[in-house]
Amino acid sequence: MTTRTLYLLCSAAPPVFEIAGVVEEAQHRGWDVCLGLTPVAADWLEDSLPGLAALTGHPVRSRYKRPGQPDVWPAADAVLVAPATTNTINRWALGITDTWLVGFVAEGIGKGIPMTTMPCVNSAYAQHPQLPLSLETLRTAGVQVMYGPDGFEPNAPGEKRPYPWDLALDAVDEQTR
């Protein structure tokens, strides 16, 4: 059986604290998981990074490598950007590649890598006029966007409810069949 490689790329939103269980579920589904984080998400998970690297069998990435350094991950068969904050979504759609995670997914559009994103934004952020424009830009570029009734629906600021990780993993599985 050929191993499929999933790049699981996460922004700094509360569901990132559940990432070990998500990695395990993706592995159960047959994925070799490589975990990438925005710099803030890496700061939030700093104490967990060695354990997450051991769980995935790959270093956790959050920064660009130096020129000439080899890639430390196998090539991606699919990418899941979740949870994706307003900041990550807007920077990705606008091509602002000042972080490794956004730089990778911006380039991934041009490389034709199957990509799915599921936002994690509250209803106040969802009212900002740039967010729907950025989501539409990503859809037009071929990114599967899990936002609305079939994905993530914004919650009130401060409201806590489960993040639909299973929907995101199901979407990636379906996209790569």
Side-chain angles (χ1 to χ4, degrees):
M1 177 172 127
T2 304
T3 302
R4 305 176 302 162
T5 300
L6 174 65
Y7 284 16
L8 178 56
L9 307 179
C10 307
S11 301
V16 78
F17 291 108
E18 304 164 355
I19 206 61
V22 178
V23 168
E24 289 171 338
E25 175 60 24
Q27 291 171 331
H28 178 74
R29 293 172 180 230
W31 290 100
D32 176 23
V33 180
C34 297
L35 181 61
L37 305 169
T38 62
V40 174
D43 286 345
W44 285 10
L45 297 176
E46 181 178 7
D47 293 340
S48 302
L49 295 179
L52 291 166
L55 177 62
T56 64
H58 303 285
V60 178
R61 292 194 61 189
S62 62
R63 305 210 183 284
Y64 282 107
K65 66 181 182 67
R66 290 194 172 111
Q69 287 183 326
D71 287 331
V72 294
W73 289 355
D77 294 301
V79 174
L80 173 59
V81 182
T85 60
T86 303
N87 188 39
T88 295
I89 292 164
N90 288 337
R91 288 174 37 245
W92 183 7
L94 294 169
I96 301 170
T97 60
D98 59 331
T99 65
W100 170 80
L101 189 150
V102 175
F104 178 84
V105 293
E107 186 177 36
I109 289 171
K111 290 181 172 181
I113 301 169
M115 288 191 283
T116 300
T117 189
M118 189 160 60
C120 184
V121 300
N122 68 39
S123 57
Y125 280 121
Q127 297 304 309
H128 192 283
Q130 184 59 48
L131 184 63
L133 298 173
S134 293
L135 293 172
E136 184 56 31
T137 296
L138 294 176
R139 283 185 185 104
T140 300
V143 177
Q144 179 176 227
V145 177
M146 306 287 300
Y147 185 74
D150 295 327
F152 180 83
E153 294 191 77
N155 50 285
E159 177 187 353
K160 303 232 184 312
R161 66 178 137 106
Y163 188 72
W165 284 110
D166 284 344
L167 291 177
L169 292 172
D170 290 348
V172 171
D173 285 338
E174 185 65 31
Q175 185 182 37
T176 58
R177 280 186 205 188

